[in-house]
Amino acid sequence: MFSISIRDSTGFATGETKEKSVKPNFAQTEILQNDEKNCQVPQRESVQVQTDTKEKKGDIFVEFDVNNLSNFLSRVTPLVCSVLEKNVKSQAFHRYNLLSDNDDSTISCKYLLEKSLPSDFCCNFVSWNSVGTAVAAAYGSRSHKSWCDHDSSVGVWSLNRKDFDSKKPNAILETDCCITHVTFHPDLPAILLAGKFNGEIVLWNISKEDDPLLGSSQNALGSHREPITGLFWIHSFKAQDSLEFVSCSLDGKILLWKLENGELVPYDGFIILIEQLPRSFSVKTSKENSEVGVTSLSINCEDQSIFIIGIEGGGIFQCSFNSLVPASYSGYSSVSLKNPITMSFEPHKGQVTSVHFSPFSRNIFLSAGSDGELRIYNLLKEEEQN
């Protein structure tokens, strides 16, 4: 048998156990604190630049050679002189004024010029005078069944007068027919030219309020008999106040006029006939060789012997005032009518509404037509450029 004996601390055995005493205790430490910090250092780059030191010459005329300079001037002087002479004759910047740097580019309506009109009337054409102090507006009916029997007028507003009223013209020039074209003289600010629907042309001096009429083509033999489509002044070198101009009409005539003894008299003329047109150009007409109406005209900015016309049917032609080719015109005319056409260009698909030479280039002109196209032509090429 196996047995276990238990003794107390005295070493004697006992039969009872002694309980141990237990006492709970606690221990606490301080809370640990954590702190995070960042440190940023800027990045730097070093770049070095080095320039070469240029030595200054003590005498800039050390390498000067009189013979070389003389040969150079002899070679380039004729070319420079020819270019300078060409620039003197050029009108590329004629009447061109630079805009001030302080000008505001915003476009605003300064005046609204109004005039009481019949319900079927409209403004057909406007023109500034040469000094920019007056505006002329031509009025006419929108529709004509055949002949024109309307009473019309040209309204003139003088913008610098104290009695200026935007709703009332300073002068009203009454006419017995609708006005289709009006233009001021390029040098004389009071001279005004107007063309009527019936082909008559009138000349006024608006500075004469009592009797402004200077002359008309009413009694001129062989004058226009269809609506005037263009009036253009001729710059004469004989006298600055020369009253000579060109007119074109739907009757196919292009006439040159001058004022004599209170009457406008044609002294030269041209006409556009079907036989003068290229074979590829077709015009519907009842006559075998009838006239073709001229819808627009423009004179070259450098050479006034050259002009461009647009005609009914879309044709565009270069013409010359120096032409001596006779035209087989069977109608009556007080002047010998000639064929002015020298070259044709690609036509519009609709009627030509306007042609205009560039004021900066001798060979460039614009055209617009009822086909909605705006074209740029070059006299040196028969096809349009754009």
Side-chain angles (χ1 to χ4, degrees):
M1 177 183 291
F2 180 77
S3 62
I4 298 175
S5 63
I6 301 175
R7 297 179 184 273
D8 60 5
S9 62
T10 59
F12 298 97
T14 181
E16 298 178 358
T17 62
K18 189 176 179 178
E19 296 181 358
K20 294 181 179 182
S21 60
V22 180
K23 184 178 180 180
N25 279 326
F26 300 91
Q28 183 177 2
T29 61
E30 294 181 357
I31 301 174
L32 296 178
Q33 295 181 356
N34 296 327
D35 191 8
E36 295 183 1
K37 291 185 179 180
N38 296 327
C39 180
Q40 183 177 2
V41 179
Q43 297 180 355
R44 290 186 175 89
E45 293 184 0
S46 298
V47 179
Q48 296 180 353
V49 178
Q50 182 176 359
T51 58
D52 296 332
T53 303
K54 186 176 181 180
E55 296 181 0
K56 296 183 179 179
K57 294 183 179 180
D59 189 0
I60 62 175
F61 298 102
V62 173
E63 301 177 357
F64 179 79
D65 191 337
V66 177
N67 294 329
N68 289 340
L69 177 61
S70 178
N71 294 334
F72 170 77
L73 294 177
S74 300
R75 187 173 64 255
V76 302
T77 297
L79 177 61
V80 174
C81 291
S82 63
V83 173
L84 292 175
E85 292 175 358
K86 183 179 179 180
N87 290 341
V88 171
K89 298 178 182 179
S90 174
Q91 297 182 357
F93 297 97
H94 184 57
R95 296 176 182 167
Y96 176 75
N97 297 322
L98 291 175
L99 295 176
S100 173
D101 295 336
N102 298 326
D103 288 344
D104 187 3
S105 59
T106 303
I107 299 176
S108 60
C109 180
K110 189 172 184 179
Y111 299 116
L112 181 61
L113 307 180
E114 299 178 352
K115 183 180 181 295
S116 58
L117 298 171
S119 59
D120 62 334
F121 269 54
C122 65
C123 181
N124 289 331
F125 215 86
V126 294
S127 178
W128 284 92
N129 70 344
S130 59
V131 294
T133 58
V135 178
Y139 300 98
S141 176
R142 293 186 179 92
S143 59
H144 292 88
K145 295 181 180 180
S146 55
W147 197 247
C148 179
D149 56 357
H150 303 101
D151 291 331
S152 186
S153 64
V154 175
V156 180
W157 283 266
S158 299
L159 306 182
N160 61 342
R161 289 182 54 168
K162 294 182 179 179
D163 58 347
F164 167 74
D165 186 356
S166 61
K167 297 184 179 181
K168 182 180 179 181
N170 296 98
I172 299 178
L173 306 172
E174 302 288 347
T175 61
D176 59 353
C177 185
C178 292
I179 304 297
T180 58
H181 196 98
V182 65
T183 179
F184 273 104
H185 193 279
D187 298 315
L188 305 176
I191 303 302
L192 181 63
L193 189 66
K196 297 182 181 182
F197 186 87
N198 60 5
E200 184 183 347
I201 302 173
V202 289
L203 181 66
W204 292 299
N205 185 345
I206 60 174
S207 64
K208 299 179 179 180
E209 298 181 358
D210 296 336
D211 187 13
L213 183 63
L214 293 179
S216 70
S217 64
Q218 184 175 7
N219 299 325
L221 299 176
S223 61
H224 295 294
R225 49 185 174 82
E226 294 290 339
I228 302 295
T229 55
L231 295 169
F232 306 91
W233 293 97
I234 298 176
H235 294 275
S236 177
F237 299 99
K238 299 178 182 179
Q240 186 179 5
D241 58 349
S242 175
L243 301 180
E244 297 183 5
F245 60 92
V246 181
S247 65
C248 60
S249 171
L250 292 181
D251 60 4
K253 294 180 181 179
I254 302 169
L255 300 178
L256 281 71
W257 301 79
K258 61 182 178 180
L259 180 65
E260 286 186 356
N261 301 322
E263 295 291 338
L264 295 178
V265 180
Y267 64 89
D268 200 358
F270 307 88
I271 192 167
I272 308 300
L273 302 175
I274 290 181
E275 68 173 11
Q276 303 165 2
L277 308 182
R279 294 181 179 179
S280 59
F281 192 83
S282 59
V283 179
K284 295 181 180 180
T285 178
S286 58
K287 297 181 181 180
E288 181 179 355
N289 191 26
S290 61
E291 308 89 348
V292 182
V294 180
T295 59
S296 183
L297 183 149
S298 181
I299 302 176
N300 192 279
C301 61
E302 294 185 13
D303 188 352
Q304 289 200 359
S305 66
I306 299 175
F307 64 99
I308 292 290
I309 62 171
I311 65 173
E312 292 178 322
I316 299 176
F317 301 94
Q318 177 183 339
C319 304
S320 175
F321 286 120
N322 297 330
S323 175
L324 299 177
V325 180
S328 57
Y329 178 61
S330 58
Y332 173 78
S333 177
S334 58
V335 295
S336 176
L337 299 179
K338 299 176 288 293
N339 175 15
I341 296 176
T342 58
M343 186 171 66
S344 63
F345 298 89
E346 183 175 342
H348 279 270
K349 299 179 182 64
Q351 180 170 304
V352 178
T353 57
S354 179
V355 291
H356 190 75
F357 263 111
S358 168
F360 310 109
S361 177
R362 179 184 183 276
N363 298 322
I364 304 299
F365 70 92
L366 292 171
S367 72
S370 60
D371 53 3
E373 294 183 355
L374 177 63
R375 298 182 179 182
I376 302 177
Y377 287 88
N378 190 324
L379 290 182
L380 305 180
K381 299 180 180 180
E382 295 185 5
E383 296 181 357
E384 81 274 10
Q385 303 302 303
N386 198 349

